[in-house]
Amino acid sequence: MIPGATIHSNTSTGDTASMADPGAKKEVDIYRDTLLRYLGYANEVGESFRALVPVSVVWGSYVVATAYCTADAIDKGRKMAKNPKVEPAEKTKKVTQAVVDTFVWQGLASVAIPGFTINRLCALSLFLLRKTTNLPLPIRKWATTAVGLSAIPVIIHPIDRSVDFLLDSTLRKWLDIQHDHGN
C-alpha cells in the first residue's frame, strides 16, 4: 500500500470491514492503494510542464487523469452492484450514488481544482520571474516547472478535505449518500 494514497474511503461502496473490525484484512483498491493512483495526478504534472511542452501534451495529461477518474467511478459502481448487503430494490440507486459520488469527487479533487491551482501557480511564478529577474527564458521555464511539481504534494490534502466538505454540504446531502472519510 502506498502511504497516504487512500484519498477517500467510500462506505457508499460497502467498504465497512475496516470500521467494524480494525484487524480485518481490507481489500486492496487498485485505484487508491496502488501505483495506479498516481495517474490521477497526471494533469498536475502536465500543468507543471506547460511552459516546456506543447499544449497537446498538457491536454493529453488531462485525458489520462480523466480516464483514471472514470475508471475509479466505474469500479466503485461495480463493487456496489456486487455488494450482497445492498437490498435488490435499492441496488440501482446505490450504484448510481457510488458512481456519481466517486466521479464528482475525483473530477473536482483530482482534475479540476488541482489542475487550475497548478496552472495559476505556474503562470504566476513565470510572470514574477520575468518581472523580477534577468534569468534567461529557459531557466525561468524550468524554475516554473519545478515550482509546479513541488506544489503538488502540498496542495493535495487541503484540496481533498475541501472537496469532502463541499460534497458533504451539497451533493451527498441531496443524494442521501452516507460517507466515511477514513477518519
Side-chain angles (χ1 to χ4, degrees):
M1 183 162 161
I2 299 170
T6 301
I7 53 173
H8 93 268
S9 172
N10 199 342
T11 56
S12 66
T13 61
D15 180 15
T16 57
S18 59
M19 294 185 326
D21 181 8
K25 188 173 183 178
K26 185 180 175 199
E27 178 184 339
V28 173
D29 182 339
I30 65 166
Y31 294 98
R32 301 191 186 167
D33 301 330
T34 70
L35 293 175
L36 191 60
R37 170 66 192 115
Y38 292 111
L39 291 178
Y41 303 123
N43 64 305
E44 288 100 313
V45 174
E47 286 294 349
S48 296
F49 278 93
R50 183 181 281 270
L52 295 169
V53 300
V55 72
S56 60
V57 173
V58 178
W59 285 110
S61 72
Y62 276 88
V63 169
V64 170
T66 302
Y68 163 82
C69 296
T70 303
D72 188 26
I74 291 167
D75 178 64
K76 299 310 169 276
R78 285 183 179 155
K79 286 181 179 177
M80 182 58 72
K82 293 177 183 176
N83 185 345
K85 296 178 184 176
V86 176
E87 299 285 332
E90 291 282 306
K91 193 148 301 231
T92 300
K93 175 184 172 187
K94 294 293 186 182
V95 168
T96 302
Q97 287 174 330
V99 170
V100 169
D101 182 61
T102 303
F103 189 77
V104 171
W105 192 94
Q106 288 283 14
L108 290 171
S110 295
V111 180
I113 296 171
F116 177 79
T117 303
I118 297 296
N119 177 285
R120 295 295 79 206
L121 181 62
C122 289
L124 178 63
S125 69
L126 193 58
F127 173 79
L128 290 175
L129 286 170
R130 182 172 55 88
K131 291 291 188 184
T132 62
T133 71
N134 291 326
L135 294 171
L137 182 58
I139 304 268
R140 293 194 311 256
K141 287 182 175 185
W142 277 105
T144 294
T145 298
V147 166
L149 291 172
S150 64
I152 294 170
V154 175
I155 68 170
I156 291 169
H157 293 295
I159 290 173
D160 289 354
R161 300 296 65 90
S162 297
V163 172
D164 279 333
F165 177 78
L166 174 67
L167 293 187
D168 286 347
S169 302
T170 58
L171 182 72
R172 291 177 181 148
K173 279 186 179 179
W174 301 333
L175 297 179
D176 191 33
I177 297 171
Q178 301 301 315
H179 192 79
D180 171 43
H181 302 292
N183 297 335

